[in-house]
Amino acid sequence: MGAVVLNVNRTECLVICDAGNHAIRLYSIEGATVVLIAGVPEHAGWLDAAALDSMFNHPSALAVFNINSSTVLIADGYNHRIRRLDLSTMTVDTVAGSGSPGALDGPAAQAQFYYPSALATQPAPAGSVGGENMVYVSDFYSGNVRLLNLATAQETRRRRACGGTT
């Protein structure tokens, strides 16, 4: 189960992957409440839509670029995709992955992941032009660490895990 801390309406919250229920939930630390914010609980699938109509299949990890971000990246494990939840519009879309399992590099829509299971972000350096926000994706079954550039053509490139070869 992945989780990230965010400030939502100036309140510190925890966004949580509820992998077994195919949903994303929001836990208010201050109010000790949990609410569904994306997905259809107990129904696996793939659908980019309004957050509560969207569908996931075992979301396994989350990432943000900073605590005040309104964008949450989601590793949607068995859909073999990287998804984006926009908290300001409450919509979900796919940023990378064709949906077919594999280890194919290339443009985001054609790239193949094989159960993305962890995400790490690298914000663009301060003062950089173009803002190249990078996302590292741990691709569980292929044994690769993938690099996704959200600011450019959104291409992925394989990086073999430590000690491995490509």
Side-chain angles (χ1 to χ4, degrees):
M1 180 185 298
V4 293
V5 175
L6 284 178
N7 282 325
V8 178
N9 298 325
R10 294 189 210 123
T11 303
E12 198 168 83
C13 295
L14 200 62
V15 180
I16 303 166
C17 282
D18 186 353
N21 286 307
H22 315 290
I24 308 297
R25 300 188 188 273
L26 183 75
Y27 172 72
S28 169
I29 296 169
E30 187 176 286
T33 58
V34 178
V35 295
L36 174 71
I37 59 170
V40 180
E42 300 179 18
H43 290 84
W46 173 75
L47 180 64
D48 286 339
L52 292 174
D53 295 326
S54 64
M55 296 182 80
F56 299 93
N57 191 352
H58 210 264
S60 56
L62 301 170
V64 295
F65 284 101
N66 66 64
I67 193 168
N68 296 309
S69 179
S70 65
T71 300
V72 178
L73 298 172
I74 304 162
D76 194 0
Y78 289 125
N79 278 325
H80 314 290
R81 300 174 196 260
I82 307 303
R83 313 279 294 282
R84 173 177 43 214
L85 168 61
D86 186 326
L87 295 172
S88 63
T89 62
M90 292 307 292
T91 57
V92 173
D93 67 338
T94 299
V95 296
S98 67
S100 297
L104 181 66
D105 293 333
Q110 298 165 359
Q112 292 178 338
F113 296 94
Y114 201 170
Y115 194 83
S117 59
L119 301 172
T121 58
Q122 178 181 337
S128 67
V129 177
E132 294 186 8
N133 288 321
M134 307 300 280
V135 180
Y136 292 89
V137 180
S138 175
D139 210 15
F140 186 78
Y141 289 115
S142 73
N144 292 308
V145 174
R146 310 288 292 280
L147 182 61
L148 174 61
N149 185 329
L150 294 179
T152 63
Q154 299 183 350
E155 295 182 354
T156 64
R157 294 183 307 234
R158 255 183 303 181
R159 301 283 187 250
R160 193 71 172 161
C162 295
T165 59
T166 55

